Amino acid sequence: MAALSMRAVGERLGRTAMALYTYVPGKSELLDLMYDAVHAELPTDYPDTGDWRASLTSWADDTLAFHLRHPWVLQISQARPVLGPHEYAGLNTLVRLLYGTGLDAHVLRRLIGTLFHFVRGSAQTVAESRQAAAVTGQSDEEWWFARSALLGEVAPDFADRFPDVGRLESESTPEPPPADDPVPYLERQARETFTVGLGVLLDGIEAAVRRAAAP
């Protein structure tokens, strides 16, 4: 995104920047068009199997993969959405899947935001992890190891100051990855968080469905 300019796009197309202004008023409008065009990749044809949980899981997996293929999309502000047809098609797909839960429309509206921001946040962590390694020249493991080695020295009372953090760390030591695992540490952690977090979110939706159906 930092390298994107009307001049750079013009050079890529063998045209001048001024020639591009006959098609779009400026960079902002170009980004809007790019953003909506790339959303055409998102699937919209999830089968109606009656299993809304499986459908939402597939949607979340596909949406996460989409953002990781195009991490620049994460830099487009959601405060002023583009409102393009492909973006709306993606929204329509999620709304249709959520209607399968039978929940009230007011609840569904909030679930859309919850699910969307959860997936987008998970993708953001992975994208930032990949970028950090390139910018710093250090892998996740190297960065954390360097700081962990100093933690005991600069904060010898860490366990007393933050006892619950220490307890969580001691009780939830993750399984070491296979020696040939190419996935960086932070990305691996983010993907595990995505899987567990999505499961908990869907458990919550399921509990809401049961409450709504109760006499």
Side-chain angles (χ1 to χ4, degrees):
M1 289 288 284
L4 180 68
S5 68
M6 297 294 278
R7 175 179 294 180
V9 173
E11 291 176 352
R12 181 70 175 267
L13 297 175
R15 298 291 185 270
T16 66
M18 292 306 298
L20 298 186
Y21 288 107
T22 63
Y23 297 94
V24 290
K27 180 179 175 179
S28 177
E29 291 80 7
L30 177 61
L31 284 173
D32 286 350
L33 292 170
M34 290 167 54
Y35 183 86
D36 192 64
V38 78
H39 273 74
E41 290 185 10
L42 285 170
T44 59
D45 58 347
Y46 295 97
D48 184 11
T49 62
D51 186 347
W52 60 263
R53 184 169 184 134
S55 296
L56 287 175
T57 299
S58 296
W59 171 87
D61 289 339
D62 290 338
T63 305
L64 177 70
F66 164 79
H67 282 91
L68 294 182
R69 285 196 306 274
H70 307 287
W72 63 268
V73 169
L74 296 167
Q75 299 180 48
I76 303 297
S77 172
Q78 298 301 295
R80 298 292 186 271
V82 175
L83 306 178
H86 295 305
E87 185 179 19
Y88 263 115
L91 174 61
N92 190 74
T93 298
L94 178 56
V95 172
R96 185 177 72 250
L97 297 180
L98 283 170
Y99 263 119
T101 65
L103 291 172
D104 180 81
H106 178 74
V107 175
L108 296 187
R109 181 180 290 273
R110 302 310 162 205
L111 287 178
I112 291 168
T114 300
L115 288 167
F116 177 76
H117 289 298
F118 171 76
V119 174
R120 184 181 171 91
S122 298
Q124 187 85 50
T125 300
V126 175
E128 289 177 354
S129 169
R130 294 175 178 177
Q131 185 180 32
V135 170
T136 64
Q138 285 185 308
S139 67
D140 292 335
E141 288 80 3
E142 291 169 339
W143 192 92
W144 281 106
F145 181 78
R147 282 148 184 79
S148 298
L150 293 173
L151 192 58
E153 179 182 336
V154 300
D157 59 343
F158 185 91
D160 295 328
R161 292 170 62 190
F162 313 108
D164 295 307
V165 174
R167 176 186 175 186
L168 178 65
E169 188 68 20
S170 65
E171 293 179 355
S172 63
T173 303
E175 291 288 332
D180 58 348
D181 186 359
V183 181
Y185 166 79
L186 188 58
E187 179 171 343
R188 186 169 58 252
Q189 293 293 303
R191 288 182 177 275
E192 291 178 6
T193 298
F194 171 79
T195 300
V196 173
L198 179 61
V200 172
L201 279 174
L202 296 181
D203 286 346
I205 295 175
E206 198 167 312
V209 170
R210 287 197 298 270
R211 287 196 301 271

